[in-house]
Amino acid sequence: MHTVRTGTGRPLVLVPGVATTGTWRLVLDELAAEREVVAVDLPGFGQTPLFEGEVTVERYADELEAHLRADGLEQADLVGSSLGARLVLEMARRGLGRSIVALNPGGFWGPRQKQVFGATLRASVALVRRIRPTLPTVVGNPAGRTALLAQLSARPWALPADFATDELRGLADAPGADPALKALATGPDQDGAPSGTLPGPVLIVWGKQDRVTLPSQAGRAQELFPDARVEMFDACGHFPHWDQPARTVTTVLAATA
């Protein structure tokens, strides 16, 4: 997997979802001021090629586990977002990770919520691909950012235009986007971890305005991971590191201290 390393100190691994390492831009410098940050591109995103064969969440987990072990990071602190949050929870189930922070993880929805997720997100990706040549113009306007990113952010108009443009371009260009979303929408849900089986502390963060993985799913996550702590963020959508970057940095550093 392509990896971006910056900062010094005990390693802190960042695992994005259906996105590239660039999704951490608003929090990267602050985290790297305290820790060595190791940000990875999952297969099919950014500079990591998509693997051959069927795309499943389990395969993504296997690839991530192999990468962590190969780089000597199996006992590093792990932070994930969305699909990446689901993957770091799976790493904890497998006994990897010193401490875990999962930001709005997928895999805890009901059947109807899962159907809506799959249909709306894949339609959004298709739209972004159709208008890719005009993205700088559309996203350069706060109204355009709001129209394109309202499902993902509670405050899309406040996001930096260049950051939002890069995020959408990365999504449009990623060969892993469609198969990853399909795997999430049609594959098995996330398995839990019985009390006493996690290797270290686990914090699950949820944005109260999340329109992708609805806040009600936090209760299901708590049931399946009874030893985890759940924290809800106000004024926050699917990506806490977009909508609440300062609080995300403080929370991650405290949870992995």
Side-chain angles (χ1 to χ4, degrees):
M1 292 184 190
H2 173 255
T3 301
V4 173
R5 287 179 179 258
T6 183
T8 58
R10 197 173 71 249
L12 180 69
V13 179
L14 305 183
V15 185
V18 182
T20 69
T21 56
T23 195
W24 305 107
R25 182 178 124 186
L26 303 182
V27 298
L28 190 63
D29 289 346
E30 287 76 11
L31 291 173
E34 302 290 337
R35 304 285 295 275
E36 180 190 18
V37 175
V38 183
V40 301
D41 278 333
L42 291 174
F45 298 91
Q47 299 183 49
T48 302
L50 185 62
F51 46 72
E52 296 183 359
E54 183 182 6
V55 175
T56 64
V57 175
E58 182 179 12
R59 177 69 185 277
Y60 269 112
D62 292 343
E63 294 286 334
L64 178 59
E65 179 179 355
H67 176 78
L68 294 174
R69 293 190 184 280
D71 270 14
L73 295 168
E74 60 266 37
Q75 294 305 315
D77 298 311
L78 308 178
V79 180
S81 165
S82 192
L83 168 60
R86 177 171 177 177
L87 294 178
V88 298
L89 288 175
E90 178 60 24
M91 294 303 100
R93 272 187 11 93
R94 298 182 182 194
L96 277 70
R98 176 181 176 274
S99 56
I100 304 291
V101 180
L103 308 173
N104 295 55
F108 298 103
W109 30 54
R112 177 58 180 164
Q113 292 172 340
K114 196 172 183 179
Q115 291 174 357
V116 172
F117 159 81
T120 57
L121 263 292
R122 280 185 278 180
S124 296
V125 172
L127 172 62
V128 169
R129 287 184 178 136
R130 285 198 298 272
I131 67 170
R132 190 190 186 288
T134 65
L135 279 176
T137 301
V138 175
V139 180
N141 184 300
R145 289 199 294 283
T146 299
L148 288 179
L149 294 168
Q151 189 176 12
L152 301 176
S153 170
R155 303 171 64 248
W157 59 86
L159 295 171
D162 61 336
F163 169 76
T165 300
D166 288 345
E167 283 293 279
L168 291 172
R169 280 175 172 165
L171 183 62
D173 296 342
D178 287 336
L181 290 172
K182 180 180 179 182
L184 284 165
T186 62
D189 295 337
Q190 175 61 41
D191 290 328
S195 183
T197 63
L198 294 174
V202 172
L203 171 65
I204 300 174
V205 171
W206 226 290
K208 289 185 177 180
Q209 284 73 46
D210 190 349
R211 298 181 181 90
V212 177
T213 53
L214 302 183
S216 60
Q217 295 169 25
R220 176 65 172 159
Q222 182 75 85
E223 291 175 3
L224 290 174
F225 287 83
D227 289 343
R229 182 167 61 90
V230 175
E231 184 172 346
M232 308 297 292
F233 277 19
D234 293 316
C236 185
H238 189 58
F239 296 124
H241 49 293
W242 289 14
D243 291 341
Q244 296 284 352
R247 183 175 178 184
T248 298
V249 168
T250 301
T251 299
V252 166
L253 292 177
T256 61

